[in-house]
Amino acid sequence: MNSCIQFKPSNCRNCYKCIRHCPVKSIRFENNQAHIVHDECILCGECFVVCPQNAKEIRNDVDKVKEVIKSGRPVYASVAPSFVGNYDGANITMFANALKKLGFTDAEETALGANIVKNEYERMIERNDSNVIISSCCHSINTLIQKYYPAALPFLAHVMSPMQAHCKEIKKAHPDAFTVFIGPCISKKDEADKYPEFVDAVLTFEELTGWFNEKEVKIEYCEDQSPKGRSRLFPTTGGILRSMKRNHDICTYISVDGVENCKNAIQDIIDGKVNRCFIEMSACVGSCIGGPAMDKRKSPIGDFMRVDEYAGNDDFVMDIPASEELTKEMKYIGINRQKPGSKAIEEILRKMGKNSPADELNCGSCGYETCRDKAMAVYFGKSDINMCMPYLIEKAESFSDTIIKNTPNAIFVLNESLEIQQMNKTAREMFNIKNIHDVLNEPVVRILDPLPFVNVLNDGVNIRDKKVYLAEYNKYVEQTIILDRSYHIMICFMRDVTEEELQKNKKETMSKNTVDIADKVIEKQMRVVQEIASLLGETTAETKIALTKLKESLNDE
């Protein structure tokens, strides 16, 4: 059987909203993706409602119903009484007519089944079946007790839900009928899967509205031809109690809504703090009109008033089945997990940076009430150590602090008034500042020429790796100034390049000296050459004269 609710692949990284709202923490995170742990889930639908990424999807059974209609089998709808809150101005006659246009044979109100169930509750109270009786209409609450509070099972009324009781009556009147419950609840799909004798399919109001839109079916006004009944009050908080004939001499009547409130009430029952009491419980705040699959999110007060106005003051006139025909067996399901030892939890806490009880902030940002609950989830593979905001912040701060403290570069931060907001150790050493508090919130002009910062602030153009000589400190630096307008700060980085500049200057001086020496040597050599050339020239001339005279003498002879 396909799961009734599941997660679509989505960008749910570092959100954890679903786990924060899940009352039983039945969600596992793996590879930055949330997954429902189905054997722990109670199908309350909170994750579906709160997900900002719309990452959860409900199993859609419209195609299943369409196929049955196409086959020619008669299809009857059991419509939850909360429909008057979801569909403005609708009555059951109008709603049935609209459903017939989709191919349904007919439609009736689930309130008829609610009338049967509330009568059975009245009989249980009169018979004094139990010191405490918990209503069994909400499948999520039933599942909560079956999985997490087995000690409360004797107090849970083993009575069919209104959906089941009504669909059973439909099948009794029409043996070949295919029954479809239509309502605002996700868990009813699971209930139909687990108890398939009477309910063949479940559609949510959202699914039905989509089908109406697809076929362009409108809910058109007509006079309501149905009788009124106070069991139409069932989808509101306290609605079951308001529909019952109450005997205050036998017991007290209490209504509780919201899973957390129900969990507390169940624990009180187990602890023996509650006696002689009938308790109406619903997982959704506001009961069914606050259901996760209500198609329209409107004012809960407005929905309550519409339901209240549509209900009557008397019971529906109908035959009530015998008690044995309404029995529903609800066994312990349980969560088969062996709890880890304290040593394993302590080791996980240590990895999370929780080395003492004082480190356990129990902030709830990860979705778990306590750090130990979170460690338990890590142990079972449902959570990751990094799903801890204080741990991540501390880790990031520690990492950045380590870098800033140990970097050889001077780093300081100014606000837009050019006042020093922060300065690392290297900067303090560079500017000969012993105590950072001597310069915090002081103008930068106290230590540096403010002109470059003024230019960046006014022009909005950052300076990167500009070489600057700080005469007052006798240092050369490469200066970077970055303006962050979103945080209204300027960050300055200075890399000390004094040694490099001195080496460069020394090298340039040596080069200049070498050039000067070379020029002198060349000049001297040129003089020598010129002198040699001069001497050679005189000698040659004298030789030439002598040889000429010798030649003339020989010729004369």
Side-chain angles (χ1 to χ4, degrees), residues 394-522:
E394 184 178 344
K395 184 177 179 181
E397 289 178 346
S398 174
F399 185 67
S400 62
D401 285 348
T402 300
I403 293 174
I404 292 173
K405 287 178 181 178
N406 292 283
T407 180
N409 299 329
I411 302 174
F412 57 94
V413 180
L414 309 180
N415 60 21
E416 290 184 338
S417 298
L418 303 187
E419 295 170 337
I420 299 169
Q421 302 299 297
Q422 191 56 268
M423 180 179 286
N424 72 344
K425 181 181 178 182
T426 305
R428 295 197 300 273
E429 291 175 350
M430 180 178 288
F431 304 132
N432 302 320
I433 298 169
K434 292 182 179 180
N435 192 329
I436 189 172
H437 296 289
D438 294 338
V439 294
L440 280 184
N441 298 314
E442 293 291 328
V444 71
V445 70
R446 279 195 54 183
I447 61 172
L448 287 171
D449 178 8
L451 185 59
F453 302 96
V454 172
N455 291 337
V456 170
L457 184 62
N458 292 336
D459 301 338
V461 179
N462 295 333
I463 294 173
R464 296 186 182 277
D465 299 328
K466 182 179 179 180
K467 195 166 292 181
V468 178
Y469 176 61
L470 305 178
E472 59 269 47
Y473 304 106
N474 193 28
K475 290 184 182 296
Y476 292 92
V477 297
E478 284 184 348
Q479 186 180 60
T480 296
I481 302 175
I482 299 173
L483 173 64
D484 189 335
R485 292 199 183 277
S486 60
Y487 288 98
H488 308 288
I489 60 172
M490 280 189 287
I491 306 173
C492 181
F493 301 89
M494 287 186 173
R495 186 169 77 89
D496 189 348
V497 294
T498 303
E499 190 64 32
E500 296 175 23
E501 284 298 311
L502 291 177
Q503 290 294 332
K504 181 180 177 183
N505 291 340
K506 184 177 180 180
K507 186 176 180 181
E508 288 177 354
T509 301
M510 289 178 63
S511 297
K512 187 174 180 299
N513 292 337
T514 302
V515 169
D516 290 343
I517 293 170
D519 285 341
K520 290 178 180 179
V521 169
I522 291 171

Side-chain angles (χ1 to χ4, degrees), residues 113-149:
N115 188 60
I116 294 171
V117 170
K118 73 97 182 175
N119 272 276
E120 181 58 22
Y121 290 158
E122 291 169 353
R123 289 190 295 213
M124 291 180 69
I125 294 170
E126 290 294 333
R127 293 195 302 260
N128 196 22
D129 284 0
S130 178
N131 181 39
V132 176
I133 299 174
I134 302 173
S135 65
S136 58
C137 299
C138 179
H139 182 66
S140 289
I141 294 299
N142 298 345
T143 306
L144 174 71
I145 294 173
Q146 288 177 282
K147 288 186 176 182
Y148 296 94
Y149 297 94

Side-chain angles (χ1 to χ4, degrees), residues 208-440:
L208 181 62
T209 298
W211 193 358
F212 278 154
N213 293 337
E214 176 192 339
K215 297 298 182 181
E216 299 182 348
V217 172
K218 304 292 184 183
I219 300 177
E220 298 175 349
Y221 176 78
C222 67
E223 290 292 333
D224 190 8
Q225 301 172 8
S226 64
K228 288 184 175 290
R230 57 182 177 175
S231 57
R232 285 172 171 170
L233 295 168
F234 262 53
T236 60
T237 299
I240 297 176
L241 305 185
R242 291 175 65 197
S243 70
M244 293 171 63
K245 297 173 184 176
R246 285 179 274 180
N247 188 336
H248 293 284
D249 294 332
I250 298 178
C251 72
T252 303
Y253 297 82
I254 300 174
S255 62
V256 183
D257 61 356
V259 178
E260 289 301 327
N261 292 331
C262 290
K263 286 167 64 177
N264 292 333
I266 293 168
Q267 192 59 56
D268 283 345
I269 293 169
I270 294 172
D271 294 341
K273 298 178 181 179
V274 181
N275 292 288
R276 299 178 66 248
C277 188
F278 178 88
I279 304 181
E280 168 195 325
M281 287 192 186
S282 55
C284 297
V285 175
S287 196
C288 301
I289 58 172
M294 286 288 278
D295 179 48
K296 297 177 181 177
R297 295 283 162 188
K298 301 189 293 293
S299 163
I301 295 176
D303 290 347
F304 180 93
M305 292 176 67
R306 279 186 285 273
V307 171
D308 192 74
E309 182 182 348
Y310 191 59
N313 296 319
D314 301 312
D315 291 342
F316 287 108
V317 178
M318 59 186 300
D319 293 332
I320 304 300
S323 296
E324 54 268 21
E325 294 183 44
L326 300 172
T327 301
K328 175 181 179 180
E329 187 177 13
M330 284 180 276
K331 298 179 179 179
Y332 171 59
I333 299 174
I335 308 297
N336 297 318
R337 294 186 314 193
Q338 185 176 358
K339 289 188 176 182
S342 59
K343 186 175 180 180
I345 295 299
E346 295 295 335
E347 177 62 21
I348 294 171
L349 287 170
R350 187 188 62 77
K351 291 179 180 179
M352 291 163 53
K354 316 293 183 184
N355 297 307
S356 69
D359 296 326
E360 298 176 26
L361 301 179
N362 301 327
C363 65
S365 61
C366 61
Y368 296 91
E369 291 185 8
T370 69
C371 296
R372 289 184 174 270
D373 289 341
K374 162 67 186 301
M376 189 88 71
V378 172
Y379 178 85
F380 287 118
K382 293 168 60 178
S383 182
D384 185 85
I385 287 176
N386 290 327
M387 284 172 56
C388 176
M389 197 60 65
Y391 168 75
L392 288 177
I393 292 173
E394 184 178 344
K395 184 177 179 181
E397 289 178 346
S398 174
F399 185 67
S400 62
D401 285 348
T402 300
I403 293 174
I404 292 173
K405 287 178 181 178
N406 292 283
T407 180
N409 299 329
I411 302 174
F412 57 94
V413 180
L414 309 180
N415 60 21
E416 290 184 338
S417 298
L418 303 187
E419 295 170 337
I420 299 169
Q421 302 299 297
Q422 191 56 268
M423 180 179 286
N424 72 344
K425 181 181 178 182
T426 305
R428 295 197 300 273
E429 291 175 350
M430 180 178 288
F431 304 132
N432 302 320
I433 298 169
K434 292 182 179 180
N435 192 329
I436 189 172
H437 296 289
D438 294 338
V439 294
L440 280 184

Side-chain angles (χ1 to χ4, degrees), residues 77-81 108-117 121 135-140 142-143 146 156-173 179-182 187-202 234 318 321 325-330:
S78 172
V79 184
E108 296 178 355
E109 296 179 78
T110 315
L112 296 171
N115 188 60
I116 294 171
V117 170
Y121 290 158
S135 65
S136 58
C137 299
C138 179
H139 182 66
S140 289
N142 298 345
T143 306
Q146 288 177 282
L156 180 61
H158 288 230
V159 177
M160 289 181 181
S161 67
M163 174 186 77
Q164 293 172 308
H166 184 222
C167 288
K168 182 177 181 180
E169 289 299 304
I170 292 175
K171 285 185 177 288
K172 187 185 296 183
T179 55
V180 180
F181 173 77
I182 302 172
S187 70
K188 288 299 180 185
K189 290 179 179 283
D190 183 67
E191 184 179 14
D193 291 344
K194 287 190 168 108
Y195 304 93
E197 299 92 335
F198 309 115
V199 185
D200 297 307
V202 172
F234 262 53
M318 59 186 300
E325 294 183 44
L326 300 172
T327 301
K328 175 181 179 180
E329 187 177 13
M330 284 180 276

